[in-house]
């Protein structure tokens, strides 16, 4: 009889292990992510996925900016301390929460509102059962699908974070000014590969960016007086015009994918190859020898993009998830249970 490391049931039989230690051994043997499952709410809230999908569909039809906002919100939530709804917590007198340190201009009310509405509907059916982190993960999946993107599996059982601080944000999120080395590094810290990064960047096939995020490329690039020479000139001129007043009006924004801004497809990659990438980080993917082959592949083959995006989203959805007593199922998605009554 061989004794495998991590065979807890056998270890438990051999010697009387105190339950606390058993729990520790169990958590060592099985990373939290491995413990999520698709059937997690099958008994406790069998209609959960349907309820979320209904709310999300209605919200996206009435407010079409919802989907892109939710996708970005989910990405940011996962990269700052794990997919644990910590990004949904509101700042109060005692705590400055994550969402206030995030570059949150494109974390619009719509995305938060979707999760809150879905959660409200769930609380009527099965109070205190479905975590806000799972609601956001499922809502994002449904919204990507609504925009024409691929379906992917979302395993469930995430718990909601017990903390959310502005101080935990810096260093965890990519920014448009980063070099490809820095971008790769930010993703590598979450165990995401270069392929994951390029596939996930395809999310910029939808939504928009505010002028301040790319102004330095179109106005007086590097003191040249002109635009970034890697950009298509007509495109840069159009952006100069659209953003002419951006310093006075910070709400002005441009579509991330000027060809099909509301459709989840592979045109983002085709744009990037033709000097039509909006953010410097988008264009950078076409210039670096580690990322360009993937950009070319996805530009030529949408199925290859969808396959890799699917894999990368499934992986992203498991980053830093909390289970058991490491988290709670929040009653309200914007407040810890300890604060609500
Ligand atoms: C590779 C590094 C990335 C950088 C530097 C980056 C940066 C940005 C910036 C600056 C914006 C515009 C924000 C604004 O002005 O409102 C934006 C928008 C967006 N990002 Fe990214 N992002 C990256 C990766 C990702 C990933 C991995 C996802 C999701 C999987 C994503 C999803 C989105 C979406 C959907 C929008 C549009 C949001 C909206 O319309 O409300 N981004 N991103
Ligand atoms: C975004 O952050 C600013 C502070 O940087 C804060 O005033 C604002 O309320 C935040 N917006 C959201 C939607 O959390
Ligand atoms: C990017 O870098 C330029 C030049 O260093 C700077 O002016 C601009 O504010 C930066 N943009 C962002 C979004 O950090
Ligand atoms: C596109 O990619 C898919 C998935 O990798 C592959 O099965 C298919 O053969 C590719 N199509 C072409 C035309 O290369
Ligand atoms: C699917 C699965 O492995 N679920 C387990 C997750 O962890 C709890 C306790 O930590 C177990 O009770 C589940 O069986």
């Amino acid at each position: 009889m061989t004794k495998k490391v991590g065979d807890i049931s056998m270890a438990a039989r051999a010697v009387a292990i105190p339950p606390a230690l058993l729990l520790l051994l169990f958590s060592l043997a099985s990373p939290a992510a491995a413990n999520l499952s698709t059937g997690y709410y099958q008994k406790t809230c069998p209609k959960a996925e349907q309820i979320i999908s209904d709310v999300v569909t209605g919200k996206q039809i009435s407010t079409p900016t919802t989907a892109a906002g939710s996708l970005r919100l989910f990405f940011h939530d996962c990269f700052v301390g794990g997919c644990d709804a910590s990004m949904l917590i509101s700042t109060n007198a005692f705590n400055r929460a994550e969402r206030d340190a995030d570059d949150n201009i494109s974390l619009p009310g719509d995305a938060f509102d979707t999760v809150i509405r879905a959660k409200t509907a769930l609380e009527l059916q099965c109070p205190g059962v479905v975590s806000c982190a799972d609601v956001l993960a499922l809502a994002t999946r449904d919204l990507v699908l609504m925009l024409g993107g691929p379906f992917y599996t979302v395993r469930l059982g995430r718990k909601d974070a017990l903390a959310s601080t502005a101080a935990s944000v810096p260093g965890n999120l990519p920014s448009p000014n980063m070099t490809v080395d820095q971008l790769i590094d930010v993703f590598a810290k979450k165990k995401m590969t270069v392929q994951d990064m390029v596939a996930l960047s395809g999310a910029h096939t939808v939504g928009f960016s505010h002028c301040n995020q790319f102004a330095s490329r179109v106005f007086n690039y590097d003191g040249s007086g002109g635009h970034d020479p890697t950009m298509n000139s007509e495109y840069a001129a159009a952006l100069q015009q659209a953003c002419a007043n951006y310093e006075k009006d910070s709400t002005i924004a441009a579509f991330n994918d000027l060809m099909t801004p509301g459709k989840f497809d592979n045109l983002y990659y085709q744009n990037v190859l033709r000097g039509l990438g909006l953010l410097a980080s988008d264009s950078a993917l076409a210039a670096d020898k580690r990322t360009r082959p993937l950009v070319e592949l996805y530009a030529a083959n949408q199925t290859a993009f969808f396959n890799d995006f699917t894999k990368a989203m499934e992986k992203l959805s498991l980053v830093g998830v909390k289970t058991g007593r490491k988290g709670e199922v929040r009653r309200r998605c914007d407040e810890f249970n300890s604060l609500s009554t």
Side-chain angles (χ1 to χ4, degrees):
M1 199 166 72
T2 54
K3 192 173 168 214
K4 297 194 299 301
V5 178
D7 190 343
I8 302 305
S9 59
M10 207 172 66
R13 257 183 279 121
V15 279
I17 294 179
L21 182 58
L22 227 160
L23 210 70
L24 177 72
L25 287 171
F26 185 85
S27 61
L28 286 176
S30 76
N35 199 19
L36 301 195
S37 63
T38 48
Y40 191 81
Y41 297 114
Q42 211 158 30
K43 293 214 176 81
T44 50
C45 194
K47 291 203 183 120
E49 297 206 28
Q50 191 56 53
I51 292 169
I52 294 168
S53 161
D54 288 349
V55 171
V56 160
T57 304
K59 175 77 187 179
Q60 174 64 15
I61 290 169
S62 64
T63 317
T65 51
T66 302
S70 301
L71 180 53
R72 183 165 194 247
L73 175 60
F74 179 65
F75 167 51
H76 285 204
D77 185 39
C78 293
F79 262 40
V80 181
C83 311
D84 59 5
S86 49
M87 200 53 86
L88 300 176
I89 292 289
S90 296
T91 287
N92 61 32
F94 310 104
N95 179 45
R96 204 167 153 253
E98 278 176 22
R99 67 192 265 194
D100 281 338
D102 190 358
D103 148 37
N104 64 9
I105 191 163
S106 212
L107 296 180
D110 301 335
F112 293 97
D113 183 58
T114 311
V115 174
I116 290 180
R117 281 200 206 186
K119 176 68 171 172
T120 304
L122 286 165
E123 293 305 280
L124 293 174
Q125 284 277 324
C126 14
V129 171
V130 183
S131 70
C132 298
D134 280 346
V135 174
L136 178 57
L138 286 169
T140 301
R141 190 268 311 273
D142 292 347
L143 288 163
V144 166
L145 192 64
M146 271 188 88
L147 295 178
F151 177 87
Y152 54 88
T153 306
V154 176
R155 286 154 65 194
L156 302 168
R158 291 167 195 74
K159 289 283 174 68
D160 297 325
L162 299 169
S164 169
T165 63
S168 61
V169 175
N172 286 300
L173 295 173
S175 85
N177 273 359
M178 286 181 172
T179 63
V180 172
D181 274 330
Q182 290 170 321
L183 292 171
I184 289 176
D185 195 52
V186 167
F187 281 77
K189 277 198 244 159
K190 314 296 170 190
K191 305 225 156 55
M192 306 296 275
T193 64
V194 172
Q195 180 183 303
D196 294 331
M197 181 183 87
V198 178
L200 288 176
S201 296
H204 291 173
T205 179
V206 294
F208 50 81
S209 297
H210 292 81
C211 296
N212 65 340
Q213 302 290 348
F214 54 84
S216 60
R217 306 186 73 198
V218 298
F219 299 113
N220 195 19
Y221 175 76
D222 268 357
S224 65
H227 60 81
D228 178 342
T230 68
M231 295 180 92
N232 173 292
S233 294
E234 284 168 61
Y235 182 48
L239 290 172
Q240 281 169 359
Q241 207 170 12
C243 292
N245 207 25
Y246 86 98
E247 280 168 315
K248 288 196 187 112
D249 181 356
S250 63
T251 64
I252 305 174
F255 288 128
N256 287 326
D257 168 3
L258 83 161
M259 296 299 177
T260 52
K263 195 163 182 291
F264 198 100
D265 56 19
N266 68 338
L267 289 217
Y268 163 81
Y269 299 101
Q270 298 181 17
N271 292 340
V272 158
L273 291 174
R274 291 154 58 204
L276 301 174
L278 183 60
L279 302 173
S281 50
D282 297 326
S283 300
L285 299 180
D288 188 279
K289 65 178 189 306
R290 291 162 292 184
T291 50
R292 186 175 177 98
L294 290 160
V295 173
E296 286 173 340
L297 170 67
Y298 300 151
N301 186 335
Q302 181 163 283
T303 306
F305 165 45
F306 278 14
N307 286 348
D308 289 355
F309 182 82
T310 293
K311 274 188 247 155
M313 282 304 284
E314 287 174 353
K315 203 166 154 186
L316 175 65
S317 307
L318 298 177
V319 169
V321 298
K322 300 173 174 67
T323 56
R325 294 166 74 177
K326 299 230 168 74
E328 63 183 5
V329 173
R330 251 177 243 156
R331 285 187 290 270
R332 283 180 55 148
C333 290
D334 60 346
E335 270 184 17
F336 304 117
N337 288 346
S338 59
L339 289 179
S340 60
T341 45

